[in-house]
Amino acid sequence: MRISQKHQTALALAVIALATLVITVPFAAQPFSIDGPETIAFAERQIEQPFSQDLPSHFSNRGIFFDSYLETHPKFLPLYLSLVIRATGEPSEVPLHLSLAIFPFIGAVGMYFLGRRFRVSGLAAALFFLASPMLMVSSHTEMVDVPGVSLSIAALAVFIAAVERQRGRWLLSLSALLMILASQTFFQGLVVLPLALAYLVIHRQFRIRNLVPIAAAGIFFGAYLLAVVAAYGQLPRLSYRSRLNTMQPTSALAFLRANLTVLGGTLLFPLVAVAGFLTRWTSILVFVSSSMITWSWSVVKYVLGDYGLSDMLLLSVMLPVGITITYLMIERSAAALSSRENRNSRAGRDALFLAVWFFSVLAYTTILLPYPAPRYLLAIVPAAILGLLTIWRAHIRTRWLRPSLAGSALALTLVFSTLLSLTTYTAARNGKVAAEWAIENYDGTGGAWYNGTFGFGYYLERAGFRLVPSVENELYAQTTRSLPLEEPRPGDYVAYSVKDGAWVPYPSVMQRLRRDQTLVLYNDQIFFMPCAGSDTCWWNSVFLPFRIDTLGERADTVRTWRIDDEPNPLDESQYELYREVGITWIEDLEER
């Protein structure tokens, strides 16, 4: 019995909903970490003042205090989360994470319809999107990346459907709404506007009615910027990167190399990506040659002591995969432009559009974003997956091989993503465990302070601890704050995380620290995520297994301190602390 198209769609959507629950519900209790606490702070602010864009009243971020803190993104996600917090009474991991599961489902539904439009399996496109490490790991956090990308995918899917149907006015209206929500979730969501325009140009659908959603979303975003200027006297920060000269060629090349490494390692399980994209002799040649160069470079760096063994192994596999994927996107777009017949064909135009999508995201992540990370590259996943499925359809003719390859690739990728998700869960859990230990060991005498960030700082702050000011406040004092900063006093209690303590307290505080107690947390997952050093271009890349460690490796050291009345003589414990936080002025202290 033949199943109707309507029933096929309903069944596919049910499978997508179930898959979304599978990748999100087991991790719903993951503690808040990374930049999630900042999103929650904005959400709590919006309970009292909806649509506000700042955090006032001496807000602190990474050791720097602000009278008014304007974050880099619009506030649709905090507004949405504020409704959940209002309903539950306080921020809680399970309700917030379950409420966020709607976004990967929206993105997967968009991928389903985009897959059908680009003449590949819509269900395969949706499931690969959900199983991708970039998506799965990020979907367990409270940050803007998954909601923003998911809304962008849905906006493009609805927009393309409206353009193709010609009479879908309600689809045009829905696409306009989704474009607005995407650009009001994060600034990267603005990429949907030029992509929609590119689709009209490439597919020769440049009509006034088709421009209405793009114009509406652009006008709304312009109004948002004017409202922010009127309320705060300044534009929001449109770019994260403020301390890096992006015009330096070496810097741009380093970021490009890092992004290609992240792409090759976290789009799918790396070996799956290799098998999937090596369908032509040209792609095999590119992969082999780039592997030889990368392996030679990595071996030299390993011999010099700049790379560890796992750094060398992972980089030498992941970077060639990313280069090969990028080459094939170039090759397919070049083939689409090579002849009039290809330029006029639907397949050629589709290949060109996917290439525009792919390289637009690669360009803005390399130029505008602060460091290479899978969550920043998440918007490239739809174009890469659709390109992969298109290549499989064109070059794998054997009837049974294509679904077998897709099924095996999906299974391996899901296992890989689950391992990475467990790693991230462990890192987030360690931050909460460390905070709870510090709280339990505080006897209530003296003030309670902390030096740390992410989940460690969030849970301590909820318990009433205050952040120790950092030396960087001296650099920002004239522009970001006017209120005097209070320092820890003699007898006060300070909790410090080696992993998450990202700044240096004032020298007057550092010299009076007396060690109290120490907690060492050990890794209980195979994958581990310490920074590997800037020379590998993996630095600050959140959600990436930098190296493979054995079980029992030290994950973090948490220390508690008391503040003495007078500076302590420099002993080995003081030197150890200085080395941990990156102190560079020990010699000056010795002279004193």
Side-chain angles (χ1 to χ4, degrees):
M1 182 178 177
R2 186 177 181 83
I3 302 176
S4 66
Q5 183 67 51
K6 183 181 294 186
H7 288 152
Q8 287 181 6
T9 301
L11 181 60
L13 294 181
V15 172
I16 292 170
L18 179 61
T20 303
L21 295 176
V22 167
I23 70 165
T24 56
V25 171
F27 299 91
Q30 178 170 305
F32 301 136
S33 186
I34 314 298
D35 293 338
E38 188 172 298
T39 305
I40 294 170
F42 277 102
E44 292 184 291
R45 162 79 162 155
Q46 301 226 351
I47 294 176
E48 301 174 356
Q49 296 189 24
F51 309 111
S52 61
Q53 301 294 306
D54 72 326
L55 289 175
S57 185
H58 225 29
F59 172 74
S60 60
N61 182 41
R62 290 171 171 79
I64 303 173
F65 289 77
F66 301 81
D67 291 334
S68 179
Y69 179 73
L70 285 174
E71 206 233 356
T72 49
H73 295 298
K75 296 298 172 286
F76 169 69
L77 181 61
L79 182 62
Y80 171 76
L81 292 179
S82 71
L83 301 177
V84 181
I85 296 173
R86 184 188 293 271
T88 57
E90 63 177 356
S92 181
E93 291 92 342
V94 173
L96 284 180
H97 289 153
L98 291 179
S99 70
L100 290 169
I102 186 65
F103 292 106
F105 175 73
I106 290 173
V109 171
M111 283 294 293
Y112 172 77
F113 287 103
L114 283 175
R116 286 175 46 177
R117 160 60 188 81
F118 286 91
R119 297 187 296 169
V120 296
S121 170
L123 184 59
L127 294 180
F128 271 115
F129 174 72
L130 290 174
S132 171
M134 292 191 193
L135 185 283
M136 185 172 172
V137 177
S138 298
S139 67
H140 308 145
T141 71
E142 312 77 42
M143 293 180 286
V144 297
D145 307 281
V146 171
V149 169
S150 297
L151 291 169
S152 299
I153 295 171
L156 280 174
V158 174
F159 176 77
I160 290 172
V163 170
E164 297 290 333
R165 293 187 184 184
Q166 297 296 324
R167 295 183 179 180
R169 291 186 178 180
W170 73 274
L171 288 176
L172 285 173
S173 300
L174 179 59
S175 68
L177 175 62
L178 290 170
M179 288 179 184
I180 290 171
L181 292 179
S183 61
Q184 288 300 303
T185 301
F186 67 162
F187 288 129
Q188 295 96 298
L190 287 171
V191 74
V192 75
L193 304 185
L195 286 180
L197 190 62
Y199 185 86
L200 296 180
V201 173
I202 292 171
H203 286 83
R204 302 175 186 176
Q205 298 283 355
F206 208 79
R207 299 181 178 88
I208 296 298
R209 65 178 292 277
N210 294 336
L211 293 173
V212 171
I214 304 173
I219 291 171
F220 190 96
F221 188 80
Y224 158 76
L225 294 180
L226 292 177
V228 171
V229 171
Y232 302 100
Q234 65 182 88
L235 287 169
R237 292 185 295 128
L238 297 178
S239 173
Y240 294 95
R241 196 181 296 182
S242 58
R243 300 182 185 179
L244 179 66
N245 181 6
T246 58
M247 299 306 292
Q248 295 177 353
T250 55
S251 174
L253 288 175
F255 269 73
L256 178 61
R257 183 183 69 171
N259 278 320
L260 292 179
T261 304
V262 172
L263 173 65
T266 58
L267 172 65
L268 302 170
F269 180 61
L271 296 181
V272 166
V274 170
F277 282 96
L278 297 184
T279 55
R280 291 168 56 85
W281 70 268
T282 52
S283 58
I284 295 175
L285 179 62
V286 169
F287 177 75
V288 171
S289 59
S290 60
S291 295
M292 292 175 61
I293 295 172
T294 306
W295 274 103
S296 301
W297 170 261
S298 298
V299 168
V300 171
K301 300 292 282 186
Y302 175 75
V303 172
L304 294 175
D306 295 330
Y307 284 6
L309 178 61
S310 54
D311 292 328
M312 178 183 70
L313 295 176
L314 289 173
L315 184 66
S316 298
V317 171
M318 297 164 71
L319 180 56
V321 174
I323 292 173
T324 305
I325 294 171
T326 304
Y327 165 77
L328 276 171
M329 298 300 290
I330 295 174
E331 183 186 58
R332 286 185 57 78
S333 59
L337 295 171
S338 61
S339 67
R340 177 177 297 181
E341 181 181 358
N342 289 343
R343 289 193 297 270
N344 291 331
S345 69
R346 189 181 186 90
R349 294 175 184 176
D350 288 346
L352 187 59
F353 173 72
L354 292 177
V356 170
W357 187 343
F358 182 93
F359 289 106
S360 296
V361 176
L362 186 61
Y364 80 65
T365 53
T366 300
I367 296 172
L368 297 178
L369 298 184
Y371 49 79
R375 63 190 180 102
Y376 292 150
L377 269 176
L378 183 58
I380 212 171
V381 172
I385 288 177
L386 291 172
L388 171 63
L389 294 176
T390 303
I391 291 170
W392 284 357
R393 185 196 65 201
H395 297 289
I396 301 177
R397 301 293 186 180
T398 307
R399 193 167 194 177
W400 60 269
L401 183 58
R402 200 184 306 163
S404 299
L405 178 60
S408 301
L410 188 61
L412 287 172
T413 299
L414 184 60
V415 171
F416 183 59
S417 298
T418 302
L419 288 174
L420 297 186
S421 296
L422 289 172
T423 300
T424 309
Y425 186 96
T426 301
R429 183 202 61 193
N430 285 346
K432 187 175 183 179
V433 168
E436 291 174 343
W437 176 83
I439 295 168
E440 181 180 347
N441 283 277
Y442 174 52
D443 60 9
T445 60
W449 300 80
Y450 73 92
N451 182 351
T453 184
F454 300 153
F456 176 76
Y458 171 80
Y459 289 105
L460 286 174
E461 199 161 279
R462 304 294 290 192
F465 282 56
R466 290 177 292 174
L467 180 67
V468 176
S470 79
V471 294
E472 291 192 33
N473 279 284
E474 299 303 318
L475 303 176
Y476 292 87
Q478 302 301 318
T479 59
T480 62
R481 63 177 177 84
S482 58
L483 300 175
L485 295 178
E486 184 179 356
E487 295 184 26
R489 299 178 179 180
D492 284 357
Y493 176 88
V494 180
Y496 168 73
S497 165
V498 172
K499 182 173 72 70
D500 288 338
W503 52 88
V504 179
Y506 288 142
S508 59
V509 175
M510 290 287 296
Q511 296 175 65
R512 292 184 291 127
L513 289 176
R514 172 172 46 85
R515 183 177 296 181
D516 185 20
Q517 299 184 64
T518 300
L519 170 69
V520 178
L521 297 172
Y522 293 96
N523 181 41
D524 60 3
Q525 300 292 336
I526 295 177
F527 288 95
F528 193 44
M529 302 187 301
C531 291
S534 60
D535 207 27
T536 65
C537 289
W538 303 56
W539 46 280
N540 285 330
S541 301
V542 181
F543 305 146
L544 194 64
F546 296 103
R547 66 184 189 218
I548 301 175
D549 284 344
T550 58
L551 299 180
E553 186 80 13
R554 189 177 74 169
D556 192 11
T557 300
V558 186
R559 296 200 172 100
T560 59
W561 308 78
R562 288 289 182 174
I563 304 295
D564 282 343
D565 294 325
E566 299 295 334
N568 294 311
L570 291 173
D571 57 17
E572 183 56 34
S573 65
Q574 289 285 75
Y575 278 115
E576 184 179 356
L577 173 65
Y578 296 149
R579 286 193 293 268
E580 287 173 349
V581 298
I583 295 292
T584 58
W585 29 264
I586 295 180
E587 293 80 3
D588 295 337
L589 292 178
E590 286 181 322
E591 291 177 0
R592 298 178 189 176

